[in-house]
Amino acid sequence: MNQKEIGPKEIVEWLDNQSGFTLEMKVLSYALSLGLESEHGGTYSDPVTDKPRQFDIRCTARNKNMAIKLAIECKALSKEFPLVIQRVPRRKKESFHDVFYTYEPDVSPAGIRDIFGGSEIFRTITESPLYPIDKPVGKACNQIGKRNNKLFANDSEIYDKWAQAISSVYDLIADSVNEREKIDFDGALTVVFPVLVVPDGCLWCVDYDSKGDRLSEPKPRNEVEFYISKDYWRRGQTYAVYTVSHLQIVTFSGYKCFSKKVASKSKFWEWVFPIENLKEIE
């Protein structure tokens, strides 16, 4: 089979239309412009396979003894094959988020530290201010396109990418065990958000009621909350089990809005750390 040789023209065409690296650099550049502590393109061990994987971007913002951390993955979609999220009203039990609290581990009279001490999980008692009850939340996603004039859908490529964002959270939680020592406080509070960024114009939503009846025509969106309820635990873990309730799926414009809230230390931080609305998980 004859194949056309790939040259500079074809490489540039791919870079302009398909490369996620361009989107990564835009995301990284904006994070740095906001003063967020950022890492780009490092590696971590996959918690399931234990194989090395590369993350796209990680960002951290701190305010006194509180930290918000973002595990960001970027996917260069096209308007010809956009991401479509199907949403339903959020149920009461889905309206929560966890706060990871670390402190000086207890020491026994014999001078031995409790290796399972030093960390606790606090969860919102009533509805989470970040994820209100009855507001639309994503439950299914697909990329939709046309092939030979026929519609088709595929979720495998986008699933792989948002699964990477979810996996990358493990390292950020493990790193947060030492957060109090980094900031020189007796205790530290951390919340981690997995984030998937796609290009503008490539994210659509379709809303349904609780019975599954479609409420509206598909509409473009810049930010969508997708319910995952992912527990972070692996064999040999010596810190408390943290649960991420939602994945943030955003366009680049939506990412700019979200990261600006993270960097501004405004009302958003009160929603992330609603001190009076938290209870320790036993």
Side-chain angles (χ1 to χ4, degrees), residues 86-140:
Q86 292 164 282
R87 305 190 301 180
V88 297
R90 182 181 286 108
R91 300 165 65 190
K92 182 178 180 180
K93 71 175 185 178
E94 298 167 348
S95 175
F96 76 92
H97 72 273
D98 283 2
V99 176
F100 190 61
Y101 175 61
T102 56
Y103 55 92
E104 178 71 21
D106 293 331
V107 179
S108 71
I112 302 174
R113 284 191 175 191
D114 178 4
I115 63 170
F116 295 101
S119 63
E120 296 174 2
I121 302 299
F122 290 90
R123 181 169 295 180
T124 46
I125 304 169
T126 59
E127 70 176 323
S128 165
L130 293 176
Y131 309 116
I133 299 169
D134 290 331
K135 292 295 184 181
V137 61
K139 286 298 183 73

Side-chain angles (χ1 to χ4, degrees), residues 42-47 49 51-55 160-161 163-164 167:
T43 58
Y44 65 96
S45 294
D46 187 285
T49 65
K51 294 180 179 179
R53 300 188 73 173
Q54 186 177 47
F55 64 81
D160 286 345
K161 205 58 176 172
Q164 281 184 250
S167 294

Side-chain angles (χ1 to χ4, degrees), residues 65-67 96-102 119-124 130 188-192 240-243 269 271-275 277-281:
N65 70 328
M66 299 174 288
F96 76 92
H97 72 273
D98 283 2
V99 176
F100 190 61
Y101 175 61
T102 56
S119 63
E120 296 174 2
I121 302 299
F122 290 90
R123 181 169 295 180
T124 46
L130 293 176
L189 301 167
T190 303
V191 172
V192 184
V241 179
Y242 181 82
T243 301
W269 281 70
W271 296 346
V272 176
F273 301 98
I275 304 302
N277 189 21
L278 294 175
K279 180 181 180 181
E280 182 184 354
I281 297 179

Side-chain angles (χ1 to χ4, degrees), residues 4-5 8 24 26 35 54-55 68-69 75 114 129 190 217 269 273 280:
K4 183 178 179 181
E5 183 177 330
E24 281 182 41
K26 289 174 63 178
Q54 186 177 47
F55 64 81
I68 295 177
K69 300 185 178 183
K75 181 64 175 177
D114 178 4
T190 303
E217 293 299 309
W269 281 70
F273 301 98
E280 182 184 354

Side-chain angles (χ1 to χ4, degrees), residues 37-247:
E37 180 183 317
S38 303
E39 297 178 78
H40 179 223
T43 58
Y44 65 96
S45 294
D46 187 285
V48 177
T49 65
D50 204 33
K51 294 180 179 179
R53 300 188 73 173
Q54 186 177 47
F55 64 81
D56 286 350
I57 298 163
R58 291 173 175 174
C59 297
T60 300
R62 293 186 174 88
N63 183 14
K64 299 179 181 178
N65 70 328
M66 299 174 288
I68 295 177
K69 300 185 178 183
L70 311 180
I72 303 172
E73 294 292 324
C74 303
K75 181 64 175 177
L77 306 183
S78 69
K79 294 180 180 179
E80 291 74 31
F81 197 29
L83 178 60
V84 180
I85 309 292
Q86 292 164 282
R87 305 190 301 180
V88 297
R90 182 181 286 108
R91 300 165 65 190
K92 182 178 180 180
K93 71 175 185 178
E94 298 167 348
S95 175
F96 76 92
H97 72 273
D98 283 2
V99 176
F100 190 61
Y101 175 61
T102 56
Y103 55 92
E104 178 71 21
D106 293 331
V107 179
S108 71
I112 302 174
R113 284 191 175 191
D114 178 4
I115 63 170
F116 295 101
S119 63
E120 296 174 2
I121 302 299
F122 290 90
R123 181 169 295 180
T124 46
I125 304 169
T126 59
E127 70 176 323
S128 165
L130 293 176
Y131 309 116
I133 299 169
D134 290 331
K135 292 295 184 181
V137 61
K139 286 298 183 73
C141 66
N142 276 285
Q143 284 182 260
I144 297 178
K146 273 191 173 183
R147 182 183 294 140
N148 300 324
N149 293 320
K150 292 184 178 181
L151 285 171
F152 74 100
N154 188 314
D155 67 350
S156 60
E157 287 187 23
I158 201 68
Y159 175 81
D160 286 345
K161 205 58 176 172
W162 69 255
Q164 281 184 250
I166 293 171
S167 294
S168 181
V169 169
Y170 271 99
D171 270 7
L172 292 179
I173 296 170
D175 180 68
S176 296
V177 172
N178 302 314
E179 186 67 26
R180 65 172 187 82
E181 296 175 356
K182 295 179 183 178
I183 60 177
D184 196 25
F185 272 81
D186 291 336
L189 301 167
T190 303
V191 172
V192 184
F193 293 92
V195 182
L196 174 64
V197 184
V198 301
D200 286 348
C202 294
L203 180 61
W204 291 76
C205 280
V206 183
D207 291 338
Y208 297 78
D209 64 19
S210 58
K211 296 179 181 179
D213 295 325
R214 194 169 69 239
L215 296 174
S216 65
E217 293 299 309
K219 296 179 181 179
R221 299 285 298 182
N222 281 327
E223 186 173 351
V224 177
E225 296 150 2
F226 197 91
Y227 184 70
I228 58 173
S229 189
K230 170 65 176 175
D231 295 333
Y232 285 86
W233 179 89
R234 50 186 160 187
R235 188 181 298 276
Q237 182 169 307
T238 58
Y239 48 87
V241 179
Y242 181 82
T243 301
V244 171
S245 58
H246 293 72
L247 164 72

